[in-house]
Each structure stands twice: as C-alpha cells, then as structure tokens.
Amino acid sequence: MLFYILKRILVAIPTLLAVVIVTFLMMHFAPGSPFNSERVLPPEVLAVLNHEYHLDKPLPWQLGYYILNLLHGDLGQSYKYLGQSVNSLIFPQSGTGGFWVSVILGAWVLLVSIVLGVSLGMWAALKRNSLIDRFVTAFSMFSISVPTVVLAPILVLIFAVLLGLLPAGGWGGDFQHLVLPVVSLSLGIAAIIAQIMRSSLIEVLNSPFIKTAKAKGLSRRTIIWRHALKPAIIPVVSYLGPAAAAALTGTVIIETVFTLPGLGVLTVQAATNRDYSLMLGLTVLYSTLLIIFNLIVDILYGFLDPKIKY
Amino acid sequence: MMLKKFFYVAAIVLLTAGLLSGCGKSGSDQYAAAGKDTLVRGNGAEPPSLDPAIMQDVNSAQIAYDLYEGLTDFNQSNQPVPGIAQSWDISSNGKVYTFHLRPNAKWSNGEPLTAQDFLYSWQRTLDPKTASPYAFVLFPVVNAQEINAGKMPLSSLGAKVIDAHTFQVTLKRPVSYFLQVMTQPATYPVYAPSIKKYGNAFVQPGNSVTDGAYMMAAWVPNGYIDLVKNPYYYDAADVKIDKVKYLPIVDTNSELSQYKSGAIDVTYTVPVDQYKQIAKEYPTELHTVAWTGNYYYDFGLLHAPFKNNLKLRQALSMTVDRDAIATQVLGQEQIPMYTMIPSDIENGAFSALKPYEWQSLPYAEKVSEAQKLFAQAGYSTTHPLNVTISYNTNDIHKKVALAIASMWQQAFGSAIKVELNNQEWSVIIQAKNKGDFQIMRDGWIADFDTADNFTELLMCANPQNTSHYCSPKYDQLINEAESTTNPAERVKLIEQAQTLMLNDYPVIPLLQYTYFRLVKPYVKGYDPTNNHLDHVHSKWFYFDYGK
C-alpha cells in the first residue's frame, strides 16, 4: 500500500511538470500582453515592467526561473494586481478569500451533495418503480438539466430579492451567506450522485451474492447495509474525485453570481488579463488537487472493493 | 372537470405570486430601516492596484478618492477646491504655483503631512523605476518628462519645498487645468516610511497610511474592501458616514439583485439590457448623467482601403445615423456626436461646434450625397468594398456595429460587404496600437474637465492615436491653443483644429457616453447632475430615512 502511494506520488511529479510547461507556453503564445492597457504605456515604463517581470529574457530562461521558484513554493508576482504576490492572492494571509473561501464552499457542497445524492439514490433503488423512484428520477433530471447559471439567479430572485430571507451575495463567512451558493452548486452534483447510486445499487441487488445472502435468510436490513452498500458506492466514489477538485477550485458562475472571492473568479480574470503567473499558479493548484483526489479515490477503492489489492 | 382543475392550478399560482410580491416590500426594506453606519458601494471590478502612482482605472481611482487627497480636491461639479492646500498663488505668467498646505494636515496615523511628502511622492511617480502609467499628468512640470524618461535626476524636478507647509511648482508652460491635475491619484501624497518598510505591500491593511477622509480597514481580493473614517482628516467633523464598503461586483445582474435586496446602497452601474425597465421601476433612484467620454470609430489610415481615400471615409461617416444609434439601438440617453469633444466639457464651451456641412441635412439626403462619393471613391456592385469592423467583445459594441453595418448595407446595397470581428480586450489593444485594422471601435473618457483630453488624441506623436492620423497643421493649431493664455482665443483655435481634422475623416464620432447608477432613496448628499467626470467622494454622502 505504502509502496503504491509512493509510486503514485513519483508519477505525479512529471505530470505536474508537463502541466506547467504546457500552460506556460500556451499563455505566452496567446496574443496580447499583460501590460496592454487602454492608455498606451510609454516605452520606458514598458521596459522597466518587462525587466521586472523578466519578460525581456528568453522564454526557456523564464520557464526555468519559474520552475525553480515553484520548487521553493513561490508562485511569483501577479502581473495585473501589481504589488501582490500570487501566493497572497490564492492563499490570503487574512484567512479570508481565495483558496480558503473555495475550501469552505467546496466542503459544504460535497457534504450536502453526498448526503442528499446517496440517500435519494438509495431510496429510489429500494423503492424501484414506485412514486418515490419517479420523484427522485424527475428531481435528478431537473437538477441536471437546469444549469447553475439559470438556477442561481432564480434562487436569488426568490430568497433574496422577493422574500428577503437570505443575502443576494457577498462573503460574510457566516452560514447565511453560504446557503444559496451551496444549494445552487449541490443540486446538480447531488442529482448525478443519486443517478449513479440508484443504478449501481439496483445492479448490486440483482447480483448472485445478494441472492445467496437472501437464501441464507439474512434480514433485508443486513443485506443492504452490510453487503450491498459497499460495492454499490464504488462508482459514486470514482465520480467524487474530479467532482471534489472542481468544487474546491471554485466554480466561475456561482462565484460571479454571488460575488464570492474564491478561485473561480481569479481564474477567469487571470486568463483575460494575461496574468501569466496567476494563471500558472492556479493551474498548478488545480492539477495538484486533481492528482491528490484521484489518489484518495484509488486508496478508497482498496477498502471498498475486495477485488482490488495494492 | 379539466376546467375545474385548471382553475385550481391558476388560483394557486396567483396566490403564490401575490404572497411573494407582498413579501417583496418587507424584504427590501428590512435593511433600509436599520440605523446603518456603513455605506455600501458597487465598485464594478476588483481594483488592480491601490498604489496612487500605479492605478490607471476607475475601479482603483474610485477607492483612491476616499483614501487620499491631493493638494486640491474636487467638488460635485468636478471643479478644483482647496484640498490639503488651503490656498495657492499663481504667478502672473501662469507658470509658478505656490501651494499653502493646511497646518493641521495629518496622515491617518497622526503624523503631520508636509510639503516634503508631496515632493517625495511626485518624484516617486516620475521615477522610471516606479513605472507609473499616469506619470504624464505631471509632465507640465519643469523637467518632469525628462526625469520619467531617465534622462535627468529626480532632484531636477521643478518643484521645491519652501517650508514644511509651502510647496512651489514651476511649469514649462501655463496649463489652464493644472489645479485639476492635483486631484489626480498620480499626484497624491504617499507615506514614505510605509513604502520603505513594506515596499509594494504598503497599500495593504495594517501597512496603509493615507491622508484622505477614509482609511483602509480590510481588503479581501474579489470580496470586499472596507474603509473606516480617518479621525485625523482635517475635515473629519463633516464626514458623516463611519464606514464604506466597496464590492467588486463584475456581474451587473448580480449587482442589481443585491441592490434590490438592500445589500448595496449605490451601484456601480445597471445592466444595460434592463435599463428601460429599471428606469420605469425606479424612476427616482436611477441617475443617468452625460459622461465626458466619446465613442467613435477609427479608420485604419495605414492600410487600404482607407489610406488615401478621403471620399470613401466621408461616404461611410455620412451614412451613419447617430440619432438612430443613440435613441433606438442603445437608448440610455447617449448624445449623438459629430465632433471629438463631448458637449459637457468646460461648461459646454464647444457644444456649438458644427464641423460638417452635411450635418443637419435630412438622413435621406445624406445618403444620396454619400452614394455619389462612394461611387467616386471607386466602389460599385461590380467592385464591392469589403470592410471589417473590429471591436472588443461587449454587447453594446456588438449592437452598435450591427446597426452601422446594416446602415451601410442599406445605403450602398451589394456594393459593400461588412464583416464584424470581435476579439477580447487584450487582443484588440494590440491591434489598435499597431494600427492593424480597417475600422476599430474606440472611445476615450476624460481625466480632467478640459478639451485637451480629446484634442491631443489625434496629434501625430500621441500613442493613443489609433487611426494613425497625422496633420502638421492640426498639431500646430493644438499647440497654439495650449500655449495661449487667452481663453477665447483658445476655444477658437481648438474649434478650427477640430473642423480641419474632422473634415479629413480619420474618425467617425458617434456618441457621447452616459453613466447610470441606482442610489437608494435614504442615501443623501450625492448629486451627480453636474458630475460629468464621475469622480465621487464617499464623504459627500449621509443617510436620511425621513421618518
């Protein structure tokens, strides 16, 4: 097991390196420059800026310099937010904003969608073809087909503008400010989890070992909780890897609609502003998270699926 | 049976709707009723920098106007009034300004604010190492331009400290709007000890020391910026609201929801596509003001087909129906334009200027006149003109471009083929700077209340001259206008220059911008009617619930 984890981490390093190089080159080959502004900068000023950010050096030099700093955990200076380092934008020292917002939001979203999705999926599978099953399927279809870009403003209109129950946006760090963003984000993920859970549980319930268990005279409760649930949840877990990374690195639409200072908004701004260092920093973070979550998922497989041994 | 069911459903729907809208009132009033101590303002976007020497966009400047104050300050009509300097003397030749600083002027940490602070800050702005994009506002000062280019030492600047409270500035030539320059962020004093200690991070909460009505309390990038009243501000007794919160909301629909729910007191703008609806719904809360900014198209004079083809450029300009664009296509009270100088600038000094002879002809006559010019320019159905309009991706720009394309299509039929080309901002700017386009959407917002902002745009050496127009005669007239001390003479020279340039057709002036924002009825003290530059201080505001 330990050997397996070590191997995975070693494989992750070249993957990350490749991500850095490709992103770095893509950013630099995109037309436009980070110092383009409506008012044309005097050539002297441009020269100072280019020098300060090492843009006057050859591209391979810049890449090497970046990777060297990255090894020390230094993501460089932002090109757009002058005077702020990428580290301080992604991981603000005050503890509010950037990654920390995304962590709180992402954790809530995951929690709500797993609890909601798994229980709805189980319920539907156990009461197959009943009214409940149809309701769950209808709910899932609705939540999957209504995009957050539509759902979020509708929730804002009803609960913030008309009813005045919840804030329409902003980040207060309190529970009230979290409700609408978490609900808007969770419904879609919960719906997918419910669908996966439903079909996987149905399949497991029809498999021979469940029949054996029934023949042995085990109670329905024991069959479901002890024997069926573990194998049925495996597909859900494999979906959770990328879902967790996505939930943590923020979702652009939700952050825009609710004005949350998370990573999603930063990503969009970094791309449009040609903020090379911020974009790279975010890509590295996202890739790292993706690798970590996939690793966690694979380790969980080992516990859930007796067929998998590391 | 079916009908009965339908009625039930209808009744439920209506009841729910009634309940929801009934609750609406109580929902949005709950914040208003509370005794607030914080003014919440939409900021449009995250400020890229709060360093006065570095900032160059409205999202940063808006906050800087609260944090800092220059030698002069501005009032709600954009006129300079005493700021940190309580008075000043101007020499008879208009070149030497002696500012008398308030003896009680202090930094937000209680330290005295002196003439030395201004000298340090101006030198810092001009230092090429600072890389200030707005250093040029100080270029009228003796040697400033040479210092910024790295050709002269900082100490050679034409500004000196006479004593702790007297600061003297010598200009290269008289500048009619120099007192307004002192209200620009690039001239604001910055606190040297903070900069020496924290470097670029001197603007962060905890490090920030400023001299304006408010000071920095908290800054969560993309979240919010909190300011609190500066107790050491010389006029602190008249600052009525204790805290100001700026929200960098990019999405205008989201800003509108937050305004409706009572979470924002003053918006940055409103969603353009909902403007008419909002004007109907909130007639007293929506303020629409003519902005001293113009919206125009550049002809790419470096390449065919517009290079050396005056008749073609004139024909295209004549067939753009500015009124239709202002009223039917956009409809946010924009003002049709035929010159580059917005009508509200300098109290309307240039509003009577009519540069084109064809300007007041009925549209049909303009078209028939233009058709002749178009044919003379060498284009016909057998030899059609292919032209591309470039603009940065934006709904308004798209609407305008579509409208103009269809106007040309109607006027010249199959003799013209118009293509639209939208690109993101960063790409468009590169094309603009290189002159690499046929027709380019362009615009300019004034920094000061002076026509010079706009006349200088088309001078040969101006980097902002997108069309790459160059007329020595035009440059000469503008230079003369800028050096004369006779105001009437200046207006005449500028009018002459405008008429000359516009009849060379390097640009198609289209509209004067408006800005619009919602202000809650209990927010008082703010009157944008004459604030055509849209420079705003939070210190003007106060709350009044009018019980």
Side-chain angles (χ1 to χ4, degrees):
Chain A
M1 187 68 163
L2 205 67
F3 177 71
Y4 171 77
I5 295 174
L6 220 67
K7 202 174 84 185
R8 286 285 300 262
I9 291 173
L10 281 179
V11 173
I13 292 172
T15 314
L16 264 180
L17 203 64
V19 167
V20 170
I21 294 171
V22 170
T23 319
F24 184 87
L25 294 179
M26 271 167 64
M27 284 300 284
H28 280 263
F29 289 138
S33 136
F35 303 128
N36 273 345
S37 64
E38 183 152 28
R39 191 179 283 282
V40 180
L41 290 180
E44 297 85 15
V45 168
L46 211 55
V48 170
L49 285 172
N50 281 333
H51 182 72
E52 212 169 282
Y53 286 89
H54 310 292
L55 287 178
D56 51 352
K57 301 268 191 346
L59 211 53
W61 190 95
Q62 291 181 44
L63 180 61
Y65 184 79
Y66 182 80
I67 292 173
L68 206 69
N69 278 333
L70 189 61
L71 291 177
H72 295 95
D74 179 4
L75 297 170
Q77 290 288 316
S78 164
Y79 287 70
K80 176 73 178 178
Y81 302 113
L82 297 170
Q84 300 194 49
S85 71
V86 173
N87 293 58
S88 74
L89 284 169
I90 298 183
F91 305 103
Q93 280 175 348
S94 61
T96 22
F99 184 65
W100 314 122
V101 163
S102 298
V103 164
I104 296 173
L105 186 67
W108 275 106
V109 168
L110 276 185
L111 187 73
V112 171
S113 22
I114 292 173
V115 170
L116 194 69
V118 169
S119 37
L120 282 180
M122 273 178 72
W123 199 14
L126 296 176
K127 309 263 177 195
R128 212 173 146 194
N129 293 332
S130 69
L131 208 62
I132 289 162
D133 185 18
R134 283 193 203 139
F135 164 76
V136 170
T137 313
F139 162 79
S140 308
M141 287 326 287
F142 173 81
S143 305
I144 293 170
S145 14
V146 177
T148 37
V149 69
V150 175
L151 183 66
I154 290 175
L155 290 178
V156 169
L157 180 71
I158 295 174
F159 292 101
V161 177
L162 293 177
L163 298 175
L165 292 174
L166 293 163
W171 182 254
D174 54 351
F175 187 69
Q176 280 201 333
H177 282 89
L178 274 170
V179 177
L180 288 182
V182 168
V183 169
S184 332
L185 266 179
S186 307
L187 285 185
I189 301 178
I192 294 174
I193 292 178
Q195 291 275 315
I196 297 174
M197 189 66 204
R198 178 183 175 273
S199 51
S200 128
L201 189 57
I202 288 172
E203 200 186 310
V204 169
L205 286 177
N206 285 335
S207 53
F209 77 94
I210 296 291
K211 280 186 189 140
T212 315
K214 273 185 196 158
K216 272 181 9 189
L218 293 177
S219 72
R220 189 172 154 81
R221 179 172 298 183
T222 321
I223 292 173
I224 293 164
W225 290 100
R226 182 157 310 158
H227 299 286
L229 201 57
K230 227 164 108 177
I233 213 160
I234 292 173
V236 173
V237 171
S238 52
Y239 167 71
L240 278 181
L248 275 187
T249 42
T251 46
V252 177
I253 293 162
I254 288 298
E255 288 181 17
T256 314
V257 171
F258 292 104
T259 333
L260 303 177
L263 297 179
V265 175
L266 271 187
T267 312
V268 178
Q269 289 175 350
T272 49
N273 293 332
R274 301 288 184 275
D275 197 337
Y276 298 150
S277 48
L278 183 55
M279 193 67 234
L280 274 167
L282 288 164
T283 314
V284 169
L285 178 67
Y286 185 73
S287 320
T288 314
L289 287 177
L290 203 61
I291 289 169
I292 291 174
F293 282 116
N294 278 334
L295 181 61
I296 293 175
V297 165
D298 285 347
I299 293 169
L300 281 180
Y301 279 161
F303 288 107
L304 291 171
D305 192 344
K307 282 177 274 183
I308 296 174
K309 279 272 178 304
Y310 298 116
Chain B
M1 192 62 195
M2 273 308 282
L3 202 64
K4 210 169 166 187
K5 213 170 178 180
F6 170 78
F7 276 124
Y8 277 132
V9 173
I12 290 169
V13 168
L14 282 175
L15 261 173
T16 321
L19 271 174
L20 287 178
S21 59
C23 295
K25 289 279 177 286
S26 67
S28 35
D29 286 349
Q30 73 176 41
Y31 293 89
K36 280 159 61 94
D37 64 346
T38 308
L39 176 73
V40 187
R41 295 175 61 184
N43 198 49
E46 172 70 12
S49 170
L50 286 181
D51 179 345
I54 300 297
M55 59 178 62
Q56 54 174 332
D57 47 280
V58 275
N59 314 101
S60 306
Q62 180 152 274
I63 300 169
Y65 296 143
D66 281 351
L67 286 173
Y68 296 93
E69 189 165 305
L71 287 167
T72 61
D73 191 18
F74 52 85
N75 64 15
Q76 302 216 37
S77 315
N78 309 130
Q79 296 313 305
V81 294
I84 295 301
Q86 60 185 354
S87 64
W88 46 83
D89 309 309
I90 306 171
S91 66
S92 54
N93 65 2
K95 287 190 188 171
V96 182
Y97 284 67
T98 310
F99 293 96
H100 306 288
L101 276 61
R102 292 173 195 272
N104 59 342
K106 287 195 170 88
W107 292 101
S108 56
N109 61 359
E111 294 289 315
L113 170 60
T114 64
Q116 183 60 42
D117 291 315
F118 279 95
L119 183 64
Y120 165 79
S121 309
W122 287 21
Q123 287 176 339
R124 177 177 176 269
T125 295
L126 289 167
D127 189 339
K129 281 197 223 103
T130 309
S132 166
Y134 253 69
F136 70 91
V137 298
L138 284 170
F139 284 179
V141 181
V142 167
N143 292 340
Q145 194 160 1
E146 290 74 14
I147 293 170
N148 194 232
K151 289 175 195 143
M152 285 181 97
L154 293 177
S155 56
S156 62
L157 182 66
K160 65 178 173 205
V161 175
I162 307 251
D163 61 48
H165 300 290
T166 316
F167 187 57
Q168 194 176 66
V169 183
T170 312
L171 307 186
K172 279 189 285 200
R173 56 174 178 83
V175 173
S176 57
Y177 56 88
F178 191 67
L179 288 175
Q180 285 190 55
V181 173
M182 304 296 96
T183 68
Q184 277 288 312
T187 74
Y188 288 167
V190 285
Y191 190 64
S194 258
I195 295 174
K196 279 172 192 143
K197 194 163 168 197
Y198 304 108
N200 280 334
F202 81 96
V203 294
Q204 294 294 333
N207 310 346
S208 166
V209 176
T210 57
D211 73 321
Y214 290 90
M215 53 191 196
M216 175 65 81
W219 183 2
V220 174
N222 294 305
Y224 51 84
I225 288 179
D226 284 341
L227 309 184
V228 295
K229 193 171 150 174
N230 171 8
Y232 293 104
Y233 182 59
Y234 63 84
D235 198 19
D238 285 331
V239 178
K240 288 149 210 123
I241 295 178
D242 288 340
K243 294 177 195 159
V244 183
K245 191 185 219 45
Y246 283 98
L247 299 178
I249 310 177
V250 182
D251 181 44
T252 53
N253 284 304
S254 173
E255 190 185 37
L256 182 64
S257 308
Q258 297 198 39
Y259 178 82
K260 283 182 179 173
S261 74
I264 292 181
D265 300 313
V266 182
T267 67
Y268 180 72
T269 184
V270 301
V272 178
D273 51 346
Q274 294 179 51
Y275 179 85
K276 281 177 189 156
Q277 174 66 25
I278 294 167
K280 224 182 280 168
E281 221 174 308
Y282 302 95
T284 54
E285 295 171 41
L286 181 68
H287 298 266
T288 303
V289 183
W291 208 3
T292 38
N294 58 10
Y295 187 119
Y296 59 99
Y297 276 5
D298 295 294
F299 287 115
L301 297 181
L302 295 181
H303 309 283
F306 296 113
K307 189 182 179 184
N308 301 327
N309 202 338
L310 180 72
K311 283 180 178 162
L312 177 64
R313 301 197 299 266
Q314 184 180 349
L316 292 183
S317 182
M318 282 176 83
T319 40
V320 174
D321 187 349
R322 277 90 165 163
D323 296 283
I325 294 174
T327 53
Q328 287 155 32
V329 180
L330 296 177
Q332 288 91 34
E333 299 178 37
Q334 286 90 345
I335 302 158
M337 271 184 105
Y338 292 89
T339 85
M340 290 293 278
I341 305 176
S343 60
D344 294 290
I345 216 141
E346 296 183 29
N347 239 332
F350 301 92
S351 53
L353 178 62
K354 273 198 161 186
Y356 299 123
E357 278 175 25
W358 47 264
Q359 201 168 315
S360 24
L361 294 178
Y363 184 63
E365 274 179 51
K366 285 182 197 166
V367 171
S368 65
E369 199 63 30
Q371 281 165 341
K372 283 178 214 153
L373 288 165
F374 192 77
Q376 286 167 18
Y379 293 96
S380 60
T381 43
T382 48
H383 179 232
L385 171 70
N386 291 306
V387 65
T388 306
I389 302 176
S390 303
Y391 59 93
N392 56 300
T393 313
N394 173 302
D395 276 347
I396 293 184
H397 302 340
K398 188 177 173 184
K399 274 187 183 176
V400 173
L402 278 170
I404 290 177
S406 75
M407 284 169 193
W408 287 342
Q409 213 74 62
Q410 286 204 331
F412 308 115
S414 53
I416 190 167
K417 282 195 187 99
V418 188
E419 245 179 72
L420 302 189
N421 167 37
N422 68 310
Q423 298 274 355
E424 62 170 314
W425 190 220
S426 201
V427 181
I428 279 290
I429 283 181
Q430 221 161 35
K432 276 172 77 169
N433 293 350
K434 284 188 195 151
D436 198 5
F437 59 88
Q438 292 186 323
I439 293 177
M440 175 66 78
R441 195 300 308 184
D442 213 336
W444 197 248
I445 308 285
D447 292 312
F448 318 111
D449 184 22
T450 169
D452 297 9
N453 283 299
F454 299 97
T455 54
E456 286 172 4
L457 285 178
L458 283 130
M459 290 174 82
C460 296
N462 193 315
Q464 225 65 53
N465 183 344
T466 308
S467 64
H468 292 76
Y469 172 73
C470 184
S471 154
K473 177 81 183 141
Y474 178 79
D475 280 19
Q476 189 201 329
L477 285 168
I478 295 300
N479 282 328
E480 276 174 38
E482 289 187 0
S483 49
T484 177
T485 43
N486 178 346
E489 168 89 2
R490 177 174 161 273
V491 170
K492 233 169 93 186
L493 284 164
I494 290 178
E495 290 192 337
Q496 207 181 327
Q498 279 285 300
T499 310
L500 171 95
M501 177 274 292
L502 288 163
N503 282 287
D504 284 338
Y505 296 94
V507 290
I508 309 179
L510 295 170
L511 302 162
Q512 179 178 348
Y513 277 110
T514 48
Y515 69 86
F516 23 87
R517 65 168 48 101
L518 286 159
V519 180
K520 286 280 180 192
Y522 54 82
V523 174
K524 302 283 199 287
Y526 171 53
D527 177 16
T529 323
N530 291 314
N531 196 338
H532 298 296
L533 291 174
D534 193 19
H535 294 177
V536 180
H537 278 313
S538 296
K539 66 175 179 183
W540 298 333
F541 293 76
Y542 62 92
F543 296 127
D544 181 1
Y545 300 100
K547 276 163 195 153

